[in-house]
Amino acid sequence: MPGLRLALLTACSAGFLLSQTALTTVRVSTNPPGLTVTVDGTEYSELTTVLWSPGSTHVLAADIEQQDYVQGARYVFEGWTDSTGRQYGPANSITVTADASVWSVTAVFRVEYSLQLSFFQCEYGTPSMCGALPGVITINGMPFWKDTTLWMEGGTEVIVRAQANPG
């Protein structure tokens, strides 16, 4: 009987081991690198690797906009993509199902740079409330009559024209 018990124990153990599923390794990152994403409620600001059980679901999220004040840059969220080439659309929060064919998921951002226009200070939203204006500055055809900050993608051509008011 001891031999039968050993055979039964061995058969049961083998069945248990075969029923265990391997974990799926998924790299979660941003493009450009170094921005912040959240994986199942935990925030990461660098490439991270997670282990998920196949078939399990997980929530990935990214802020719509992130800024680097030192470099005058902001990063505008555009969407998620995975290693299979699937595009998840513009939603900044998605639920993904762990699958061995998906080994990476990337949050994609557009980089924009600030253009500071400093020529007339006025806190009001209409020119008539600001007194005598020195003139108008147009940037790419859009008129501005007070200090402002514009955001533009790198490599954008900027045409600036200034027109002083009489006097």
Side-chain angles (χ1 to χ4, degrees), residues 128-149:
S128 62
M129 304 220 22
C130 294
L133 301 176
V136 174
I137 294 181
T138 59
I139 299 176
N140 290 351
M142 190 180 316
F144 296 92
W145 51 270
K146 68 177 187 171
D147 296 353
T148 192
T149 300

Side-chain angles (χ1 to χ4, degrees), residues 1-65:
M1 246 1 197
L4 181 58
R5 283 190 206 140
L6 179 59
L8 270 169
L9 182 60
T10 302
C12 289
S13 297
F16 174 76
L17 291 175
L18 289 175
S19 70
Q20 297 299 307
T21 57
L23 295 176
T24 300
T25 302
V26 180
R27 292 178 5 180
V28 180
S29 63
T30 63
N31 182 12
L35 299 175
T36 302
V37 295
T38 303
V39 179
D40 292 331
T42 302
E43 193 171 273
Y44 299 94
S45 59
E46 56 188 41
L47 172 71
T48 190
T49 301
V50 292
L51 298 173
W52 292 336
S53 297
S56 60
T57 58
H58 303 274
V59 177
L60 305 179
D63 289 337
I64 296 293
E65 182 181 300

Side-chain angles (χ1 to χ4, degrees), residues 66-144:
Q66 298 180 37
Q67 291 194 7
D68 179 343
Y69 293 101
V70 174
Q71 294 186 11
R74 77 174 176 184
Y75 305 92
V76 180
F77 181 79
E78 291 193 321
W80 296 91
T81 186
D82 68 24
S83 54
T84 68
R86 178 179 175 192
Q87 305 278 328
Y88 291 81
N92 69 313
S93 178
I94 61 170
T95 300
V96 295
T97 301
D99 182 324
S101 68
V102 177
W103 53 267
S104 74
V105 181
T106 303
V108 179
F109 291 83
R110 178 180 70 248
V111 183
E112 298 179 341
Y113 298 96
S114 66
L115 174 64
Q116 300 288 326
L117 175 59
S118 300
F119 85 106
F120 184 70
Q121 291 184 353
C122 177
E123 294 184 25
Y124 300 104
T126 58
S128 62
M129 304 220 22
C130 294
L133 301 176
V136 174
I137 294 181
T138 59
I139 299 176
N140 290 351
M142 190 180 316
F144 296 92

